[in-house]
Every structure is written in C-alpha cells, then in structure tokens.
C-alpha cells in the first residue's frame, strides 16, 4: 500500500525567506507525484505534478519540486515566500493505472509573517 | 468554466437522518472520487468510480453509499449518519483511463452530525 509522510506539521517563516517542505512516499512501483495547496476555506488546488521525465518540476506561483527516486522524496521549494503563500500544503501520490486514488500526506500548515 | 460542483456547502443535521451530498462535473470525466478530510489525517478516499455504473470502495467506505447513473454526477449518500462522519468532504474528477491527468476538486462540503 502507498503511504506519504510530511514531517513538517507547521512551518512559520518571514516574508522573503526560502521554503522547503519535505515529502517522502513509500510504494513499490511507478508513481505520479503531486503537491496541492489549500488556502483557508477553499478547495485543493494543484501546485505541480510529476509523471515522468525531468525530475525537477516547476509549478504555479513560483513553486518547484524535485523528485529524487533513490530517496523516495518529492520536496517542495520556493526561493522567496510571500504572505499570500499562507496555506496548507499536501503532498500526494497515486499509481498511474486503475484506481487513481490519491494517497495524501497529513499536510503542512505554512504561516508567513509579514 | 471547467468545474466540480458540490452541494450543499454546509450542513448540520442529526444522527440517523439520511442525507445526500451531490457532486457534478462538466468536463466529461470518467473518473470520480469522494474524499473526507480530517485534522491530522489528511484526505482519505471513501469511494471511487471509473465510469458509469462502475463504483468501488476506497479506504474508508463504512457508512457511505454512492451511485454513478450518469457520467457527470456522483452523489454521496449517508443512509444513517453518525457523529463520526462529521468531516469535510471533497469530490474530485479526472479524465481517467490512465491518461495521467491531475484530479480537479470541488469546493468541499462541511458536514456536522449531531
């Protein structure tokens, strides 16, 4: 069975600081990897995704993530955060065939201090 | 505009009173899924459907039913709601058929069962 670990439960940063949120997964086969963001009171929005190819993927709002297969990791990064990045961030994986069930991590709450 | 629409957005009800949460998508997606979101647990899949009349259990199906009579609709039914079903529910859809497309999420339905 798939599982996803997000070790940072709550991260507090000042504006302009650099961000890295950790995500590790366990699964024996090929996976698709995602980062979703949930702003307060809103639905999940896709930040970026990895299906295959270049392991460094760029998403919306200046976010990027790197897939390191040997470490089963897909960490999210942003060089300079803004107050508007305050939200909850979820890493998720699914298998490319059959049930496309997304297995989510427990989420990381990010608070940016102006 | 491509969207997944859930109704109601909020509902407070009592134990044992049957309720239905509707989900509709306008993207002609084959795959649809229901998740519940609980603090500290992330999102967990309840049921999914890979096409009309094809549904199956996810990770936490107990106490729920679904149907998929039309491609666009995927209602979630709680026949006899209980307080442990108080949660935030999300419907999601994707093209399916292993086309490696991310899932689109609805705005969520917050259910409180008293």
């Amino acid at each position: 069975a798939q599982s996803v670990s997000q070790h940072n439960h709550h991260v507090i940063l000042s504006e302009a600081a650099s961000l890295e949120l950790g995500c590790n997964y366990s699964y024996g086969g090929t996976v698709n990897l995602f980062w979703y963001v949930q702003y307060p009171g809103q639905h999940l929005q896709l930040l970026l995704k990895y299906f295959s190819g270049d392991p460094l993927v760029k998403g919306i709002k200046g976010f990027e993530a790197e897939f390191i297969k040997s470490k089963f990791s897909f960490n999210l990064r942003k060089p300079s955060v803004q107050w508007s990045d305050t939200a909850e961030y979820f890493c998720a994986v699914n298998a490319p065939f059959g049930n496309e069930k997304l297995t989510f991590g427990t989420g990381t709450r990010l608070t940016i201090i102006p | 505009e491509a969207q997944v629409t859930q109704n109601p957005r909020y509902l407070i009800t009592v134990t044992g009173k049957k309720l239905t949460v509707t989900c509709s998508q306008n993207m002609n997606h084959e795959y649809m899924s229901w998740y519940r979101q609980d603090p500290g647990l992330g999102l967990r899949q309840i049921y999914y459907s890979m096409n009309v009349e094809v549904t199956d259990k996810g990770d936490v199906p107990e106490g729920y039913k679904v149907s998929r009579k039309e491609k666009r609709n995927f209602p979630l039914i709680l026949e006899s709601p209980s307080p442990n079903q108080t949660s935030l529910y999300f419907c999601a859809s994707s093209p399916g058929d292993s086309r490696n497309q991310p899932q689109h999420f609805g705005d969520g339905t917050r259910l409180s069962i008293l």
Side-chain angles (χ1 to χ4, degrees):
Chain A
Q2 303 158 0
S3 68
V4 178
S5 295
Q6 291 181 247
H7 302 294
N8 313 106
H9 298 295
H10 190 188
V11 173
I12 302 172
L13 294 172
S14 298
E15 275 194 315
S18 65
L19 169 72
E20 181 160 3
L21 300 182
C23 172
N24 289 90
Y25 70 93
S26 68
Y27 183 65
T30 303
V31 293
N32 300 321
L33 296 149
F34 308 86
W35 276 97
Y36 282 88
V37 60
Q38 187 178 33
Y39 298 103
Q42 295 189 25
H43 64 278
L44 289 128
Q45 300 174 40
L46 182 70
L47 269 181
L48 46 79
K49 61 186 186 292
Y50 173 81
F51 291 140
S52 64
D54 188 344
L56 183 62
V57 292
K58 296 191 184 301
I60 61 171
K61 303 178 190 279
F63 287 91
E64 65 177 33
E66 185 176 12
F67 170 50
I68 303 179
K69 191 173 181 181
S70 60
K71 295 184 178 180
F72 297 90
S73 70
F74 190 57
N75 292 354
L76 181 71
R77 300 195 291 249
K78 186 171 184 178
S80 177
V81 294
Q82 301 171 304
W83 178 79
S84 58
D85 292 324
T86 295
E88 191 149 19
Y89 293 80
F90 293 93
C91 181
V93 304
N94 71 2
F97 303 101
N99 179 12
E100 296 180 19
K101 176 186 78 172
L102 286 163
T103 298
F104 286 86
T106 52
T108 297
R109 192 194 315 169
L110 177 65
T111 301
I112 307 300
I113 302 169
Chain B
E1 180 190 350
Q3 58 186 1
V4 178
T5 303
Q6 294 178 229
N7 279 296
R9 293 290 312 279
Y10 305 92
L11 179 64
I12 301 173
T13 188
V14 297
T15 299
K17 185 176 181 182
K18 181 180 177 180
L19 67 91
T20 299
V21 184
T22 63
C23 173
S24 180
Q25 49 91 5
N26 63 359
M27 296 167 278
N28 201 36
H29 284 170
E30 291 182 356
Y31 181 89
M32 298 185 74
S33 181
W34 276 102
Y35 296 86
R36 60 178 287 173
Q37 183 180 13
D38 301 290
L41 296 176
L43 286 85
R44 295 174 293 166
Q45 190 186 54
I46 304 170
Y47 267 94
Y48 68 96
S49 169
M50 294 180 69
N51 214 324
V52 175
E53 302 291 5
V54 181
T55 64
D56 208 344
K57 296 176 181 178
D59 294 325
V60 287
E62 294 77 21
Y64 304 94
K65 285 174 55 177
V66 292
S67 69
R68 188 91 181 271
K69 293 185 171 57
E70 307 163 281
K71 201 171 192 179
R72 63 184 293 124
N73 296 323
F74 190 44
L76 179 70
I77 302 155
L78 285 72
E79 292 271 5
S80 183
S82 63
N84 64 12
Q85 293 176 298
T86 292
S87 188
L88 179 58
Y89 292 84
F90 288 100
C91 181
S93 75
S94 71
D97 195 24
S98 302
R99 271 172 273 179
N100 277 346
Q101 293 295 319
Q103 293 179 25
H104 297 256
F105 284 81
D107 285 339
T109 296
R110 189 169 290 282
L111 287 185
S112 294
I113 315 294
L114 304 177

